[in-house]
Amino acid sequence: MHKIKIINLKDRKDVLVSVIIPTFNGEIFLEECLSALKNQTIKNYEIIVSDGDSEDNTLKIAKRYADKIVISNKRGLAYQQNNGLELAKGNIILFVHQDVALAPNYIESAVNAINQGYILGKAKTLPKGNSSILKTFYIINNFFEDLASRHNTFMGFTHFFGKRDLFAKNKFRQELYWDIDMLKRVKKNGKMVFLKNTYGKSLDFVNEDGRNIVLFRDKKVSFWRILIIRYLLLGALSRFGFKFKH
């Protein structure tokens, strides 16, 4: 049975931007993700954590930072993003995954982009740490995202923003490539933008050899294998119309 619990911690006034963070067992990253949100250059935003009934300290951390928390025993990024959207007050929605820390000017840059007439956007992604392998990975990643944006699309999302009405009319669907599914449905509504003056910092690739601390903790999966899978196989299949569902 699908159960939802809502925790209202603070009642913010004059909210322009609603920041929604879908979480599940995110204690490794969440403190850094949420603390970055507290250091933004503008303040008229709210923080909504949409949790999938975490079994670690995720909710304990969230309560120190969030304005609202919604907990659901039905898990999945699409479900949880939709749950957060139901509570949002802002006319601009910013989605941030639990393993991303935003630059201090990210929200302000997103607001400026929407005010310029863009309907949806994202910024470049940078790695945490000084690994030359990871820096190379994200140089390539950002190059392709910038290229995709010129065709009014993106390769995927871990941090992105858009108009509230856009998301309200096009709810997320729980598919493996939920982000590509969303992009296909909304691109006809207006122009998208790739921001280079701000960034989201990826927290999950932390090892110097390019292995992922969560997904590949016990496996020797190289940076190059990740790159090949991401861009040459799964991404290509999704763009040619193949459907992947849970």
Side-chain angles (χ1 to χ4, degrees):
M1 184 177 177
H2 188 194
K3 297 180 180 179
I4 291 179
K5 178 182 179 181
I6 297 171
I7 303 173
N8 291 303
L9 299 167
K10 302 179 187 114
D11 184 18
R12 297 219 176 256
K13 307 296 183 184
D14 301 319
V15 172
L16 174 63
V17 181
S18 294
V19 184
I20 299 171
I21 306 99
T23 60
F24 177 67
N25 289 351
E27 64 179 8
I28 297 174
F29 313 114
L30 193 58
E31 188 92 43
E32 189 167 354
C33 171
L34 293 176
S35 64
L37 289 173
K38 288 297 186 181
N39 295 318
Q40 294 294 305
T41 53
I42 64 172
K43 303 301 180 185
N44 50 341
Y45 61 92
E46 62 179 354
I47 298 174
I48 302 171
V49 171
S50 182
D51 188 67
D53 203 12
S54 290
E55 299 160 347
D56 62 359
N57 290 317
T58 292
L59 289 174
K60 182 178 179 181
I61 296 168
K63 288 176 181 177
R64 296 203 296 267
Y65 294 91
D67 300 304
K68 302 170 187 173
I69 300 173
V70 54
I71 306 166
S72 170
N73 61 352
K74 188 175 184 179
R75 295 168 181 162
L77 277 172
Y79 296 129
Q80 290 169 228
Q81 287 170 168
N82 287 335
N83 287 341
L85 190 60
E86 292 296 322
L87 300 181
K89 289 182 177 180
N91 289 323
I92 299 172
I93 308 295
L94 170 57
F95 293 97
V96 186
H97 289 188
Q98 65 184 9
D99 55 357
V100 174
L102 301 184
N105 68 330
Y106 197 113
I107 296 180
E108 183 177 8
S109 299
V111 170
N112 290 339
I114 295 297
N115 288 340
Q116 289 169 19
Y118 294 104
I119 62 162
L120 188 145
K122 66 176 292 185
K124 63 185 178 183
T125 304
L126 300 179
K128 180 179 180 179
N130 296 311
S131 167
S132 59
I133 291 177
L134 298 183
K135 287 180 179 179
T136 301
F137 177 91
Y138 283 107
I139 287 172
I140 296 170
N141 180 82
N142 291 325
F143 171 80
F144 281 111
E145 288 288 15
D146 186 25
L147 188 63
S149 72
R150 298 176 193 182
H151 297 277
N152 214 38
T153 190
F154 292 111
M155 298 185 67
F157 291 132
T158 56
H159 50 92
F160 60 104
F161 58 88
K163 293 183 176 181
R164 176 194 178 91
D165 289 347
L166 184 74
F167 296 121
K169 294 174 183 176
N170 297 275
K171 294 292 182 69
F172 296 99
R173 298 194 290 216
Q174 189 60 35
E175 300 188 5
L176 180 58
Y177 282 93
W178 58 267
D179 44 4
I180 304 303
D181 171 71
M182 165 65 75
L183 285 164
K184 288 178 178 177
R185 288 185 284 129
V186 304
K187 63 183 301 181
K188 65 180 180 294
N189 291 283
K191 292 291 293 181
M192 303 181 194
V193 63
F194 181 67
L195 302 179
K196 300 177 184 177
N197 66 327
T198 188
Y199 62 87
K201 183 196 300 179
S202 177
L203 307 176
D204 63 348
F205 285 108
V206 298
N207 294 333
E208 290 297 307
D209 62 358
R211 284 181 291 132
N212 179 295
I213 191 172
V214 172
L215 295 179
F216 306 117
R217 181 179 293 156
D218 301 317
K219 300 177 182 178
K220 294 182 178 178
V221 179
S222 70
F223 152 78
W224 297 110
R225 192 175 302 171
I226 296 168
L227 188 65
I228 290 170
I229 291 172
R230 176 66 177 90
Y231 295 114
L232 300 184
L233 180 57
L234 299 182
L237 287 174
S238 71
R239 284 159 185 77
F240 281 105
F242 286 82
K243 291 288 187 178
F244 297 87
K245 295 187 178 182
H246 290 297

